Amino acid sequence: MRRNLLFGLIALTAVLVLASWPDGLIAQGKVVKIGLSLPLTGADADGADAILKGAQMAMNEINTKGGVAGYKLEAQVFDSATPAAGQYDPAQAATNYKKFVADSLTLAAVGPVMSGEGKAISPILSEADMATITPSSTNPDITDPKFQSQYRPKGKAVYFRTVTTDAYQGPNMANYLFHQQKMKSVYVLDDGGAFGVGIADSFQKRAGELGVKVLGRDRLDPKEADYKTILTKIKGLNPDALYYGGVMQAAAKLAPQGYEVMPRVIKAGSDGVYDLSWPKQSGKEAVEGWFCSQASPELVTSPKVEAWVTKFKKEMKRDPTNYAITSYNAVYVIADAIERTAPKKPLTRANLRDAIQETKLSSIQGPIAFDANGDILTKTVSIYQWRDGEIKYVAVAPEK
């Protein structure tokens, strides 16, 4: 009896010690949940689906091999789009991340897809000492130290990226259009979202620095059906190019109307229009010739990723995107952090965040490491063009 009593006291003491750790949280039951809040319905659903399946493939691989440091990975998936928004909804993303924080087994997240969501969730993550790794969100403000009090009030980086930011994506597209397409004048549009406004700003600033004449700037309401009045006005200014900063809800209508009103003008956007469903949404002819960018290296046509692409198509029953690969790698960043943390420290959100900060991982997209703010150290931006209903890789965007 006395031996049993002693054993019970030891067990009780252990429980109290665990409960007293700074986070008050610890992975239990040998399961670590990874939160995924993505716009799985609405205008951006196809791109989000590719990102979800990239993460799922990584988790399947890791769990098939027995997990990581004795832990199985489990996806906790929520839709961040709402019928009212018709696309991603920052308020819904915030609600989803509060659910992640309320679940003590959810120690990190992959996402969000959109920068507007990122601005809504980052303070929640900071308060919880919980890291997320976005495979696609590129607005630089979220990780900029100038906005630390707004997006990470507790100080430490919590918003990590496996893609670079619009501080490079927008300017480098301007460089490409100026040097390779001989753009001398441009009209700029955005969709009013955090991402769309930010990348249009960065593109417009760089275009001006290059001496390109910026003929004007307008904002499209993504819920409006008719942009022809704006497009007709732009046509009258006779620009060499039209640049659109935004995502699919407005792009789906802009492409066919732009094709009708001003078919010969150079048209370009960002990763917001790198969406494999765009020809279905807008028509193959309407998207023909559009340029777009990605805030990552070109991966899906790389010979070194051929086996990965074949496996993805077989297991996930769809074509991959580059951001499916950056999502896949985001899961491996978390797994690597678990492997380094679990043998030495309690597996808490804070300890996992600290380990993610110290990442030095070799991956199928190249080396992954982060600066003190959470941004990936590599800054590659890739240029694409829509041709005959398919998106084709063109080149690495020039940095100057």
Side-chain angles (χ1 to χ4, degrees):
M1 288 289 290
R2 292 182 68 180
R3 184 174 180 180
N4 289 342
L5 178 59
L6 178 61
F7 187 81
L9 288 171
I10 292 172
L12 177 60
T13 301
V15 169
L16 291 174
V17 168
L18 295 179
S20 67
W21 279 336
D23 302 303
L25 295 166
I26 184 169
Q28 302 168 27
K30 293 296 184 180
V31 169
V32 170
K33 291 184 181 178
I34 296 176
L36 288 137
S37 171
L38 312 168
L40 296 168
T41 55
D44 309 299
D46 186 79
D49 180 67
I51 285 171
L52 174 63
K53 288 184 166 58
Q56 287 176 328
M57 193 163 100
M59 287 190 224
N60 291 346
E61 284 180 359
I62 293 165
N63 288 337
T64 300
K65 294 176 182 176
V68 54
Y71 289 88
K72 294 283 187 178
L73 302 182
E74 182 178 313
Q76 188 178 26
V77 182
F78 295 127
D79 188 356
S80 63
T82 59
Q87 59 176 2
Y88 74 95
D89 186 332
Q92 184 60 49
T95 298
N96 294 345
Y97 270 76
K98 288 175 182 174
K99 291 178 183 177
F100 295 153
V101 171
D103 188 333
S104 63
L105 292 182
T106 305
L107 300 190
V110 172
V113 172
M114 302 295 180
S115 296
E117 299 172 295
K119 290 190 172 185
I121 67 164
S122 196
I124 298 168
L125 291 165
S126 182
E127 184 62 33
D129 280 330
M130 179 174 161
T132 197
I133 304 173
T134 175
S136 61
S137 161
T138 50
N139 185 284
D141 293 355
I142 303 168
T143 49
D144 191 328
K146 286 190 302 184
F147 302 105
Q148 178 179 316
S149 62
Q150 187 173 353
Y151 297 121
R152 47 181 162 118
K154 289 183 70 173
K156 288 187 175 180
V158 289
Y159 200 85
F160 296 88
R161 310 183 203 246
T162 50
V163 291
T164 191
T165 72
D166 297 339
Y168 301 90
Q169 188 179 192
N172 290 9
M173 173 59 95
N175 293 338
Y176 173 77
L177 293 179
F178 175 74
H179 292 298
Q180 303 301 322
Q181 299 299 318
K182 311 304 177 189
M183 172 184 69
K184 302 298 183 190
S185 62
V186 65
Y187 202 95
V188 180
L189 298 171
D190 70 67
D191 69 354
F195 164 72
V197 173
I199 196 164
D201 286 347
S202 66
F203 172 90
Q204 182 173 333
K205 181 179 181 216
R206 180 58 184 157
E209 290 170 351
L210 289 165
V212 175
K213 191 172 184 180
V214 179
L215 299 174
R217 172 85 173 256
D218 267 311
R219 182 155 297 166
L220 304 177
D221 180 345
K223 292 186 177 180
E224 282 189 3
D226 191 349
Y227 302 140
K228 287 183 181 176
T229 300
I230 291 175
L231 289 167
T232 300
K233 178 185 75 175
I234 297 170
K235 180 183 178 182
L237 298 173
N238 195 30
D240 291 337
L242 177 71
Y243 182 81
Y244 166 66
V247 294
M248 287 306 299
Q249 193 174 25
K253 293 164 285 189
L254 175 63
Q257 294 174 32
Y259 176 72
E260 180 180 338
V261 175
M262 42 199 304
R264 299 182 186 281
V265 170
I266 298 168
K267 302 181 185 76
S270 63
D271 53 354
V273 294
Y274 185 113
D275 188 305
L276 300 185
S277 71
W278 201 17
K280 292 181 182 175
Q281 293 196 52
S282 299
K284 191 168 75 172
E285 286 188 343
V287 304
E288 181 72 15
W290 270 79
F291 291 100
C292 63
S293 53
Q294 287 262 276
S296 74
E298 162 58 10
L299 298 167
V300 294
T301 61
S302 170
K304 68 180 181 181
V305 187
E306 184 177 355
W308 187 95
V309 169
T310 301
K311 180 180 178 182
F312 183 91
K313 288 180 177 178
K314 180 179 179 182
E315 294 185 1
M316 298 300 160
K317 313 297 182 192
R318 61 157 294 150
D319 289 332
T321 63
N322 288 312
Y323 289 171
I325 296 175
T326 54
S327 175
Y328 170 90
N329 287 336
V331 171
Y332 271 96
V333 168
I334 295 171
D336 172 67
I338 293 170
E339 190 168 37
R340 287 184 283 114
T341 301
K344 302 175 184 175
K345 299 178 181 178
L347 197 56
T348 63
R349 288 173 181 155
N351 287 338
L352 198 56
R353 188 225 72 84
D354 290 346
I356 289 170
Q357 179 72 77
E358 299 303 318
T359 295
K360 289 182 173 54
L361 183 68
S362 176
S363 77
I364 59 173
Q365 74 179 81
I368 296 177
F370 306 107
D371 67 16
N373 303 309
D375 290 336
I376 193 169
L377 297 183
T378 54
K379 311 296 184 188
T380 305
V381 174
S382 303
I383 301 294
Y384 300 82
Q385 189 176 32
W386 284 96
R387 299 172 188 162
D388 198 24
E390 295 183 353
I391 195 158
K392 300 293 186 182
Y393 173 62
V394 175
V396 172
E399 296 178 6
K400 295 181 180 177

